[in-house]
């Protein structure tokens, strides 16, 4: 469903540059009629409010996966951030969370947005207990909010604030979530403005647009009753962001290839849809999400004949 938030989400090539993150797992979101309306919105091909895409950890492409990391030795801040990015690239989620948790009271946005990401990733691990998952989601949002307060020029703080705001909206009702969608887009656009080379921010913006472009007419009508001016977008707008993400970082993420195929399907361009869906199908399946993308691409290719 288009509104389910990213299962694991930010960028892919590990970088020690401040604010750069690790590329690819940026892994880069009512009224008296509310119950009936919410049910109507939740049904159908796309739910009204954005769920940001799940970006899984692809950073290991630049590193050999470590089987274990017994002891972390760090002398200073830069070393800690490098270790954090390495653990992230290796999908060592729990170790990363424990490392960064030591810096939860930091005034440095670089620690805080990484801790927001780590908290969120931890919440999305398989078999996570529901109450603990919710706690981690809200914890992640608080860290992201603090990161933004400490440095509003940090693109990653804007990106993770948008992602985490989408997540907590799942617990706050449809009216709040749809209202938050405007704020989510603003912060994603700011992230792109601050770092035009971050492919995952572009991908998430494309996903945002796709979710609203795909919204069936009857859901739009219900949304208009609930919310005076619900967000709107087009497949063309979504396509521009997905293509830009590929231009910035070709083949950085299997889901971006899949979404290009789905967007062209929405635009009734079968030839281009076949091209991108085939690329998605042939993408090396390193992660569980890559395998899910492969399966969906195969199913869609069968439908296209």
């Amino acid at each position: 469903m288009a509104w389910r938030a990213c299962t694991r989400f930010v960028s892919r090539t590990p970088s020690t540059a401040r604010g750069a993150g690790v590329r690819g797992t940026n892994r880069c979101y009512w009224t008296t009629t509310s119950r009936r309306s919410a049910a109507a919105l939740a049904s159908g091909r796309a739910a009204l409010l954005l769920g940001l895409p799940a970006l899984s950890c692809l950073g290991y492409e630049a590193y050999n996966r470590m089987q274990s990391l017994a002891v972390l030795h760090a002398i200073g801040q830069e070393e800690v951030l490098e270790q954090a990015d390495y653990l992230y690239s290796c999908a060592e989620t729990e170790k990363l969370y424990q490392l960064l948790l030591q810096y939860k009271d930091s005034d440095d946005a670089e620690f805080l947005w990484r801790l927001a990401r780590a908290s969120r990733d931890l919440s999305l691990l398989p078999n996570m207990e529901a109450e603990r998952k919710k706690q981690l989601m809200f914890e992640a949002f608080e860290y992201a909010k603090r990161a933004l307060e400490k440095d509003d020029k940090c693109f990653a703080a804007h990106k993770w604030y948008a992602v985490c705001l989408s997540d907590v909206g799942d617990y706050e009702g449809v009216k709040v979530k749809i209202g938050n969608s405007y704020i989510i887009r603003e912060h994603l656009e700011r992230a792109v403005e601050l770092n035009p080379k971050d492919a995952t921010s572009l991908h998430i913006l494309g996903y945002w647009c796709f979710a609203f472009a795909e919204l069936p007419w009857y859901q739009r009508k219900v949304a208009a009753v609930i919310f005076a001016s619900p967000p709107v977008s087009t497949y063309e707008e979504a396509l521009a962001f997905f293509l830009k993400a590929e231009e910035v970082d070709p083949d950085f993420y299997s889901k971006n290839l899949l979404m290009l195929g789905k967007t062209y399907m929405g635009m009734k361009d079968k030839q281009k849809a076949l091209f991108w869906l085939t690329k998605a199908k042939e993408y090396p399946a390193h992660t569980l999400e890559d395998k899910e993308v492969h399966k969906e691409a195969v199913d869609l290719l069968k439908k296209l004949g």
Side-chain angles (χ1 to χ4, degrees):
M1 284 290 228
W3 70 337
R4 289 302 301 155
C6 6
T7 351
R8 289 185 82 189
F9 160 70
V10 193
S11 91
R12 184 169 69 179
T13 305
S15 170
T16 57
R18 292 172 63 78
V22 182
R23 183 161 64 82
T25 8
N26 235 341
R27 276 171 239 206
C28 307
Y29 333 166
W30 302 356
T31 62
T32 53
T33 61
S34 61
R35 291 185 180 178
R36 181 178 303 173
S37 302
L41 286 170
S43 63
R45 293 180 299 117
L48 173 62
L49 197 59
L50 164 78
L52 299 179
L55 307 176
S56 47
C57 181
L58 308 176
Y60 61 82
E61 290 184 1
Y63 294 95
N64 291 324
R65 182 179 295 276
M66 276 193 344
Q67 293 301 314
S68 64
L69 202 66
V71 182
L72 293 171
H73 297 286
I75 299 172
Q77 172 177 300
E78 292 301 326
E79 287 82 358
V80 175
L81 293 177
E82 287 178 13
Q83 288 179 354
D85 287 346
Y86 184 74
L87 288 173
Y88 182 70
S89 74
C90 296
E92 293 280 6
T93 305
E94 295 190 32
K95 289 178 182 178
L96 174 60
Y97 176 75
Q98 292 301 326
L99 170 66
L100 292 173
L101 198 59
Q102 301 173 66
Y103 302 91
K104 66 179 181 179
D105 296 321
S106 172
D107 289 331
D108 192 325
E110 295 298 323
F111 284 105
L112 292 169
W113 72 255
R114 284 174 171 84
L115 183 52
R117 180 181 66 182
S119 301
R120 182 181 186 276
D121 283 353
L122 190 62
S123 76
L124 296 170
L125 290 179
N127 304 316
M128 176 61 66
E129 191 268 327
E131 192 55 37
R132 177 59 174 155
K133 174 175 181 160
K134 179 180 178 180
Q135 177 188 342
L136 286 165
M137 287 287 193
F138 278 89
E139 183 180 307
F141 177 66
E142 288 304 315
Y143 293 135
K145 184 164 65 173
R146 282 179 51 209
L148 205 52
E149 290 169 353
K150 299 300 180 184
D151 185 1
D152 67 356
K153 298 294 194 297
C154 175
F155 88 91
H158 283 278
K159 174 166 61 176
W160 286 102
Y161 181 85
V163 172
C164 294
L165 181 60
S166 176
D167 289 339
V168 298
D170 289 336
Y171 297 96
E172 296 180 328
V174 178
K175 186 175 183 180
V176 171
K177 193 166 176 66
I178 195 170
N180 286 347
S181 66
Y182 292 102
I183 303 170
I184 289 167
R185 175 155 187 168
E186 287 173 8
H187 283 282
L188 291 172
E189 288 176 338
R190 181 61 174 148
V192 171
E193 180 183 345
L194 290 166
N195 184 1
K197 298 298 184 181
D198 184 51
T200 54
S201 293
L202 291 162
H203 171 82
I204 300 165
L205 267 171
Y207 207 98
W208 189 102
C209 295
F210 183 89
F212 291 108
E214 196 182 41
L215 201 67
W217 68 268
Y218 61 89
Q219 290 188 6
R220 293 183 193 279
K221 191 171 182 179
V222 172
V225 171
I226 298 171
F227 205 81
S229 182
V232 294
S233 190
T234 63
Y235 287 120
E236 287 76 13
E237 190 176 15
L239 178 66
F241 286 120
F242 291 138
L243 287 174
K244 183 63 177 177
E246 281 302 308
E247 177 186 332
V248 166
D249 194 355
D251 296 334
F252 76 107
Y253 183 35
S254 61
K255 191 67 170 285
N256 200 62
L257 303 175
L258 177 70
M259 293 309 298
L260 276 163
K262 292 174 73 170
T263 303
Y264 276 118
M265 284 181 67
M267 296 170 66
K268 311 302 182 186
D269 190 330
K270 182 178 178 180
Q271 184 176 358
K272 290 181 179 177
L274 287 169
F275 173 80
W276 289 104
L277 289 173
T278 300
K279 288 197 69 171
K281 183 190 73 169
E282 295 173 351
Y283 193 94
H286 295 299
T287 69
L288 176 61
E289 187 181 32
D290 291 336
K291 293 176 183 177
E292 292 170 350
V293 164
H294 173 85
K295 182 179 184 305
E296 186 173 357
V298 168
D299 291 343
L300 291 173
L301 284 167
K302 288 178 181 177
K303 288 182 182 179
L304 285 174

